[in-house]
Amino acid sequence: MENGEIIWGRAKDLYEKFNINIKTSDLNLKQNSFAILLQSNNKLLEILELTKLEWDSNHFDKNIWSMRFLLNSPSLTTPILTNLESTLENLCLSLSIDCLFCRTEISFHHLVHWLENMKFNLMDTLVTMEYVFNNKSKHSSDNKHRLTLVNDSLYTNQIMQIAEQIYTTDRFHTDPHLNNIQCNKLYSCWVRNQSEKSDADIFILEKRPDILAFAICKHLNNEEVNIQLLGVEPKYQGKKLGKELIQSLLIYYEKKVKKVTIGTQLTNIRAIKCYLSEGFKIVSSQHNFHKHLQKLN
């Protein structure tokens, strides 16, 4: 069929029924994950997976879900995508979804255009960069401030206060349907949650009694660390402390992992230039879309 065949249901059940083995996160094994299978002539073209974002939903008091194209198939034609629209809308309605989040590579123009036609709104563009350690890796160790790995609750509280002030261009803050105060608090809650996890490292640059800058890094595996949050206290911004912090982190992790990754908004030109100057390379660029399906209370 030109329009293809669409099958949907709980992700775990569909993957078992059709013997689908996808190397992705374990989110699809949860009972609150659903999948839409797109087929043509009995050939699987695409898998669209919807998973409830529990943390986001609780924080914003909304029913927020993520939507992912798992195969990123170039074979999706306009008729197939058009036929998908009513299925997706009915599934969202049955799940009482308030907001649907979708991230897609900027080069997948057919998906970008389809999302726009489906009334998804672009919130930001995420640029992911990585630094791969090799024998030529060399970073200055004559920084002015000492990098300190911390686990004290006092430091956590101070970092939370900084985090509430400095992030304003992310996909949450650019969404007019989300409360700005809640968006600010999202980052302080994020800091608190990460401070309780064993796979996260929290660093500071300090000039007592002030924290100048901080970074929260998560060990994704034995070979990779992701810098999840990095920030400079507002009154110390413009003094190249972000650059100093990056240099110190690379020195710290050089003998511990094979690579360090970090993400930032495309609009954050200063940060991108800083990371590039330290040897990071851009590995992907992805658009973040939101669609609000319920009327605001």
Side-chain angles (χ1 to χ4, degrees):
M1 292 177 57
E2 184 183 13
N3 290 344
E5 180 184 8
I6 297 178
I7 305 170
W8 68 273
R10 291 192 180 276
K12 183 177 180 181
D13 296 337
L14 288 183
Y15 296 162
E16 290 178 351
K17 180 178 179 179
F18 292 94
N19 195 27
I20 297 173
N21 183 21
I22 301 174
K23 292 183 179 180
T24 181
S25 71
D26 60 356
L27 292 177
N28 53 44
L29 300 181
K30 295 184 178 180
Q31 288 301 309
N32 59 356
S33 291
F34 287 78
I36 301 174
L37 309 185
L38 305 181
Q39 298 186 123
S40 180
N41 298 321
N42 293 321
K43 179 182 178 181
L44 181 63
L45 298 181
E46 185 59 86
I47 300 174
L48 194 62
E49 188 177 89
L50 277 73
T51 302
K52 184 171 182 179
L53 299 176
E54 300 286 357
W55 197 88
D56 302 57
S57 297
N58 292 334
H59 183 80
F60 289 105
D61 194 25
K62 293 178 180 290
N63 192 17
I64 302 176
W65 289 59
S66 72
M67 181 177 78
R68 300 188 298 166
F69 290 87
L70 298 186
L71 304 183
N72 294 313
S73 171
S75 302
L76 292 181
T77 62
T78 299
I80 294 176
L81 287 172
T82 300
N83 199 28
L84 169 64
E85 293 179 12
S86 60
T87 301
L88 179 60
E89 289 176 350
N90 289 334
L91 179 55
C92 290
L93 184 63
S94 68
L95 296 172
S96 299
I97 294 176
D98 294 315
C99 178
L100 197 55
F101 159 62
C102 184
R103 175 174 291 166
T104 182
E105 296 289 338
I106 63 173
S107 59
F108 297 154
H109 303 298
H110 62 300
L111 294 183
V112 171
H113 294 159
W114 179 76
L115 288 168
E116 292 173 336
N117 289 333
M118 285 288 291
K119 308 301 181 183
F120 280 77
N121 294 307
L122 178 64
M123 293 299 144
D124 71 2
T125 299
L126 176 68
V127 177
T128 301
M129 312 178 74
E130 70 175 18
Y131 184 96
V132 179
F133 293 106
N134 54 49
N135 294 332
K136 297 180 180 179
S137 299
K138 186 177 181 180
H139 293 274
S140 172
S141 59
D142 58 350
N143 290 327
K144 298 178 181 178
H145 306 95
R146 180 182 177 184
L147 181 74
T148 304
L149 180 64
V150 300
N151 56 15
D152 187 279
S153 60
L154 176 61
Y155 288 110
T156 300
N157 291 334
Q158 288 181 271
I159 294 171
M160 288 173 62
Q161 293 175 14
I162 298 173
E164 274 198 28
Q165 305 175 59
I166 60 177
Y167 302 108
T168 59
T169 60
D170 54 87
R171 67 181 177 89
F172 302 105
H173 283 88
T174 56
D175 189 336
H177 295 287
L178 298 179
N179 180 277
N180 197 61
I181 294 177
Q182 286 181 301
C183 292
N184 292 339
K185 288 188 176 297
L186 178 143
Y187 286 97
S188 59
C189 292
W190 193 347
V191 170
R192 183 186 61 213
N193 290 345
Q194 292 302 312
S195 70
E196 298 170 352
K197 295 183 178 180
S198 60
D199 60 354
D201 297 331
I202 300 181
F203 298 93
I204 61 169
L205 294 180
E206 65 178 330
K207 184 178 181 180
R208 294 186 178 181
D210 293 342
I211 291 178
L212 306 178
F214 75 91
I216 298 179
C217 305
K218 182 177 182 179
H219 291 262
L220 301 183
N221 49 55
N222 292 332
E223 297 182 350
E224 179 180 350
V225 162
N226 174 251
I227 303 175
Q228 295 203 318
L229 285 181
L230 185 148
V232 177
E233 216 287 338
K235 65 182 179 182
Y236 293 109
Q237 291 179 2
K239 301 181 183 297
K240 297 185 177 181
L241 289 171
K243 185 180 183 70
E244 181 178 336
L245 182 53
I246 287 291
Q247 291 174 345
S248 298
L249 290 173
L250 292 177
I251 293 171
Y252 179 87
Y253 284 117
E254 184 173 2
K255 303 297 183 182
K256 297 178 175 64
V257 296
K258 291 186 177 181
K259 68 177 179 179
V260 175
T261 57
I262 192 169
T264 191
Q265 283 72 39
L266 180 62
T267 53
N268 195 347
I269 304 299
R270 177 182 292 183
I272 292 174
K273 287 183 176 180
C274 173
Y275 304 148
L276 289 174
S277 70
E278 293 305 314
F280 281 79
K281 305 295 183 183
I282 296 175
V283 293
S284 70
S285 297
Q286 300 167 306
H287 290 316
N288 288 327
F289 289 90
H290 287 181
K291 179 177 181 178
H292 291 267
L293 298 103
Q294 303 288 326
K295 291 183 178 179
L296 296 176
N297 294 328

